[in-house]
Amino acid sequence: RGGKLSLLGFLLGMGSLVLIHGGHELSAKSPRVISLPNRQMLLSPDEYPMVSIPLGRPVAARVSEVSGLAWYGNYLILLPQYPERLKNRIFALEKTDILAFLEVRVTAPLEPLPIVWDAPDLRDEIEGFEGFEAIAFADNRAFITIESETDEGAMGDVVTGLMSEDLSRLTIDPLLRAASAPLASSPN
């Protein structure tokens, strides 16, 4: 294992983070996994064990609806679809805590660190707002996708923000927003 972690698939629900742990760095050649209720389909001949990691509240609560994950340094950021349902917070798990659980040095549920979600209410600005869907980072700049449904179909917006140096706050800039049309015409 050597302290390396592969995050090839995730499923958040019922208070657990499900990881596929292969003991190597994630790369374009890593196997992809689709998780469905009571099913797992590997799209590669390599097989890795699926590990369910229990999470503490409030992320373990169904209302959290975590929809996005991204690495920010040594922290796995968990983006709820509606941060306002969790007192305007997103969350982080330390990579060392995840590795400790995978190496069975820790068996208790992992306690996510809260991060203040400092963002305006975009529901009035984006027609058919359906929540935040994905997150990615370039240095301390975050890029977050927003899903919406209009009469024309599914739409998307991207907003950007900055993560504080101490990981206490993610501040979204509502002026840095771009809309995008769907790439496919199929319904969500």
Side-chain angles (χ1 to χ4, degrees):
R1 294 180 190 209
K4 293 182 181 178
L5 173 70
S6 292
L7 182 66
L8 307 177
F10 74 93
L11 173 66
L12 280 163
M14 307 303 285
S16 295
L17 171 66
V18 178
L19 300 175
I20 308 302
H21 181 245
H24 55 82
E25 294 297 333
L26 184 63
S27 71
K29 295 182 181 180
S30 297
R32 295 181 305 142
V33 176
I34 297 174
S35 294
L36 303 171
N38 300 319
R39 293 186 185 181
Q40 173 185 316
M41 178 173 60
L42 285 169
L43 302 178
S44 167
D46 299 328
E47 293 187 26
Y48 299 97
M50 189 180 314
V51 178
S52 180
I53 300 176
L55 301 175
R57 290 195 168 274
V59 177
R62 184 172 291 228
V63 70
S64 70
E65 294 187 63
V66 173
S67 61
L69 294 176
W71 286 107
Y72 177 73
N74 286 318
Y75 292 89
L76 182 62
I77 304 299
L78 293 82
L79 173 68
Q81 187 167 358
Y82 302 100
E84 68 275 8
R85 292 181 182 173
L86 299 168
K87 300 178 182 175
N88 287 316
R89 293 179 296 175
I90 64 173
F91 299 89
L93 291 171
E94 289 188 63
K95 186 175 186 176
T96 56
D97 291 345
I98 295 170
L99 289 170
F101 189 91
L102 293 173
E103 294 166 356
V104 195
R105 291 184 281 126
V106 173
T107 57
L110 298 184
E111 295 297 329
L113 306 167
I115 300 170
V116 173
W117 173 259
D118 186 2
D121 187 350
L122 296 171
R123 289 179 288 188
D124 293 335
E125 295 182 37
I126 298 174
E127 181 185 357
F129 179 87
E130 291 188 354
F132 299 94
E133 295 299 320
I135 188 168
F137 289 92
D139 298 319
N140 69 330
R141 177 150 312 267
F143 299 90
I144 301 103
T145 61
I146 300 169
E147 182 180 22
S148 60
E149 183 74 33
T150 66
D151 291 340
E152 289 89 41
M155 301 295 287
D157 284 78
V158 178
V159 292
T160 185
L162 294 175
M163 181 68 78
S164 64
E165 286 187 31
D166 63 359
L167 201 73
S168 65
R169 176 178 302 270
L170 180 59
T171 304
I172 304 303
D173 185 344
L175 300 178
L176 294 176
R177 187 177 102 215
S180 67
L183 297 176
S185 60
S186 62
N188 188 16

